[in-house]
Amino acid sequence: MSDRELHLGLMFWATGTHSAGWRHPDARADAAYDIELIQEVSRTAERAKFDFVFLGDRLAGDPALQHSNPAQISRLEPYSTAAAIAAATTHIGVVVTANPTYSDPYGIARLMASLDHLSEGRAAWNLVTGADPAAALNFGRDAHWDTERRYDWAEETLRVVRELWDSGPDPDGTGARRIGHRGRYFSVDGPLDIARPPQGHVVVFNAGTSDRSRELGARDADIVFAGPQPTLAKRKEYYADIKARAARYGRADHVAVLPGLTPIVAPTTEEAVALHDRLNALLVLDPEREIGDIVRAGGIGEGHRRNLTSASEVFGVDVRGHDLAAEVPARTLAAVSEEGARRLAEITRLTRRTVDGPHRITYGDLVHATPAQLSHTVVGNPEEVADMIQEWFEEGAADGFNIYPAYVPGAVTAFTELVVPVLQRRGLYRKEYRGRMLRDHLGMAVPPR
């Protein structure tokens, strides 16, 4: 990797990554099937010199997500969407999520090589093993495999896919060779019936916090997505761990760590806080139940319900039966648990409301701070958002960020027009692309055959 510079990607969820983003007046609730809008959002990111647009995927629908993440219930298949984005852009990378647990190596190699050719070297593969047990029932299986089997399968898949990319013919049609792979799970003869991708090997992304996931990312990935962590210290620990593991493979400078980031940005701090409050006011709350009751949320596992019952459990004080708009007495907040105190600090960071100041924390704030978050959220004016990005970048917590827009397209436009120019003025971020391929943006050489 060349001289270190900040990298930015756009996580594209058509309805936004805030659970109520789709309800914002400036959002498009039907955006998942509007390819012209998807292309225009991608061009917006390209004008801001983003490294890539990231297309997530799930292999199971879940009606329970209709109020939290409706884009995960129904959306276009990512290879098709990526091809349409590539046709409408010239430089920005396009990341496709493909789950090897429910795919075969030859199919992945062929599809990704095709996308790399038609995009002229801008394709990337987000390798995930899948954490959604419901997917197994859509693919003729009785159960989702355990972590060890999924990663064993994924690691062999990746080896075969890269062998296949190297086996394809040169552009003149010569040089194809069989790979004759005979492994634990796969027998693949090859060669691939497509010429070697322009990038040699398509850029590989990986995310996860388990030991197997960290090891795969450090050994084989070009980009590692860092999931949410409760503190900056924990984020720095994760970053250092990935880099240390990569160093054991001689790859410390060849793996970039990009956490997810949801920026709520406006010209002034007051406007940004008001936007954050408005989004939260649009959330659909869960009915009150017994303490300890949990619900599956957002395809990311189990999480607490969004209500005062769950808030009581998380904060360690009984706050049931109150108006959400009312301020919480200071004596109540003084009795919260250690975890509750950490979350109070997060509420203050996001809302600027405090325990006993002129603008006080409300019961609604407690409710909205209860469920697990998809990504770190920052609320503020352009300079404040840029300050947070710069701090993480310079203090060893991130090499860049995958931007999670709270709603689409407005939040994408706000970040690119307000924050990116600040990062550019500070010399942290590029003003022009260095080349046409995604590897050029990332400062990564094309690997030899």
Side-chain angles (χ1 to χ4, degrees), residues 272-358:
V273 170
L275 174 58
H276 181 250
D277 286 343
R278 185 178 191 185
L279 285 165
N280 284 342
L282 294 171
L283 286 164
V284 177
L285 303 184
D286 294 303
E288 298 291 345
R289 300 290 175 87
E290 295 299 320
I291 287 180
D293 193 21
I294 55 179
V295 64
R296 186 165 179 79
I300 58 172
E302 298 291 336
H304 290 281
R305 291 184 181 273
R306 196 181 299 274
N307 56 30
L308 286 169
T309 305
S310 291
S312 298
E313 182 177 13
V314 167
F315 284 89
V317 291
D318 190 351
V319 294
R320 291 173 294 176
H322 293 278
D323 180 356
L324 296 185
E327 296 177 343
V328 186
R331 64 179 180 278
T332 299
L333 297 180
V336 299
S337 63
E338 182 178 350
E339 172 60 18
R342 185 189 69 78
R343 294 190 185 221
L344 289 180
E346 281 291 286
I347 291 172
T348 297
R349 182 181 66 80
L350 295 172
T351 69
R352 278 55 169 188
R353 291 187 281 275
T354 60
V355 171
D356 54 6

Side-chain angles (χ1 to χ4, degrees), residues 123-143:
W125 170 23
N126 176 41
L127 189 162
V128 299
T129 67
D132 195 341
L137 305 181
N138 289 334
F139 288 84
R141 299 180 188 174
D142 294 330

Side-chain angles (χ1 to χ4, degrees), residues 44-389:
T44 298
E46 185 171 69
R47 286 191 292 270
K49 314 305 176 188
F50 271 44
D51 292 78
F52 58 83
V53 176
F54 183 98
L55 300 173
D57 195 29
R58 295 179 75 241
L59 298 176
D62 186 353
L65 302 178
Q66 62 182 314
H67 291 151
S68 58
N69 292 299
Q72 291 201 33
I73 297 175
S74 176
R75 56 185 170 191
L76 294 173
E77 183 276 323
Y79 284 106
S80 305
T81 308
I85 291 173
T89 56
T90 58
H91 286 75
I92 196 165
V94 191
V95 186
V96 170
T97 297
N99 185 336
T101 306
Y102 301 105
S103 305
D104 66 274
Y106 196 92
I108 292 175
R110 194 166 187 253
L111 286 163
M112 290 307 315
S114 297
L115 182 60
D116 206 45
H117 278 287
L118 68 86
S119 67
E120 298 182 291
R122 295 185 282 134
W125 170 23
N126 176 41
L127 189 162
V128 299
T129 67
D132 195 341
L137 305 181
N138 289 334
F139 288 84
R141 299 180 188 174
D142 294 330
H144 193 52
W145 293 340
D146 62 34
T147 298
E148 292 303 309
R149 185 176 183 186
R150 293 202 315 273
Y151 274 93
D152 288 343
W153 183 279
E155 288 170 3
E156 186 175 341
T157 296
L158 180 57
R159 288 198 301 274
V160 177
V161 167
R162 284 176 165 161
E163 289 175 15
L164 286 167
W165 286 335
D166 283 340
S167 75
D170 293 321
D172 63 3
T174 64
R177 62 177 179 80
R178 290 163 53 94
I179 67 171
H181 178 90
R182 298 294 182 267
R184 179 179 178 185
Y185 297 112
F186 303 110
S187 294
V188 182
D189 284 349
L192 192 65
D193 60 347
I194 295 174
R196 193 171 193 248
Q199 295 185 103
H201 293 171
V202 169
V203 172
V204 172
F205 288 58
N206 180 247
T209 57
S210 70
D211 184 73
R212 287 296 300 272
S213 176
R214 294 184 188 211
E215 199 66 15
L216 186 152
R219 184 185 60 243
D220 291 311
D222 302 300
I223 302 290
V224 171
F225 285 137
Q229 300 286 346
T231 65
L232 180 58
K234 290 292 185 183
R235 296 179 192 106
K236 293 170 73 172
E237 285 179 16
Y238 180 91
Y239 181 94
D241 181 57
I242 295 295
K243 295 291 185 176
R245 291 172 187 251
R248 294 199 294 270
Y249 298 103
R251 308 184 69 243
D253 294 329
H254 297 275
V255 180
V257 178
L258 273 61
L261 177 66
T262 299
I264 309 293
V265 61
T268 68
T269 302
E270 293 74 20
E271 290 172 298
V273 170
L275 174 58
H276 181 250
D277 286 343
R278 185 178 191 185
L279 285 165
N280 284 342
L282 294 171
L283 286 164
V284 177
L285 303 184
D286 294 303
E288 298 291 345
R289 300 290 175 87
E290 295 299 320
I291 287 180
D293 193 21
I294 55 179
V295 64
R296 186 165 179 79
I300 58 172
E302 298 291 336
H304 290 281
R305 291 184 181 273
R306 196 181 299 274
N307 56 30
L308 286 169
T309 305
S310 291
S312 298
E313 182 177 13
V314 167
F315 284 89
V317 291
D318 190 351
V319 294
R320 291 173 294 176
H322 293 278
D323 180 356
L324 296 185
E327 296 177 343
V328 186
R331 64 179 180 278
T332 299
L333 297 180
V336 299
S337 63
E338 182 178 350
E339 172 60 18
R342 185 189 69 78
R343 294 190 185 221
L344 289 180
E346 281 291 286
I347 291 172
T348 297
R349 182 181 66 80
L350 295 172
T351 69
R352 278 55 169 188
R353 291 187 281 275
T354 60
V355 171
D356 54 6
H359 303 287
R360 308 239 315 256
I361 291 171
T362 68
Y363 288 99
D365 291 333
L366 303 184
V367 168
H368 300 318
T370 295
Q373 302 300 309
L374 287 168
S375 68
H376 183 76
T377 300
V378 58
V379 177
N381 64 44
E383 296 288 340
E384 291 169 328
V385 174
D387 286 345
M388 185 243 107
I389 290 173

Side-chain angles (χ1 to χ4, degrees), residues 388-400:
M388 185 243 107
I389 290 173
Q390 183 170 357
E391 178 185 17
W392 285 31
F393 181 64
E394 293 181 345
E395 292 197 9
D399 294 310

Side-chain angles (χ1 to χ4, degrees), residues 412-433:
V412 180
T413 303
F415 183 83
T416 58
E417 293 184 354
L418 297 175
V419 180
V420 168
V422 177
L423 298 172
Q424 290 171 330
R425 286 197 300 270
R426 296 183 185 185
L428 296 170
Y429 193 63
R430 69 170 73 93
K431 294 183 179 180
E432 297 294 339
Y433 286 111

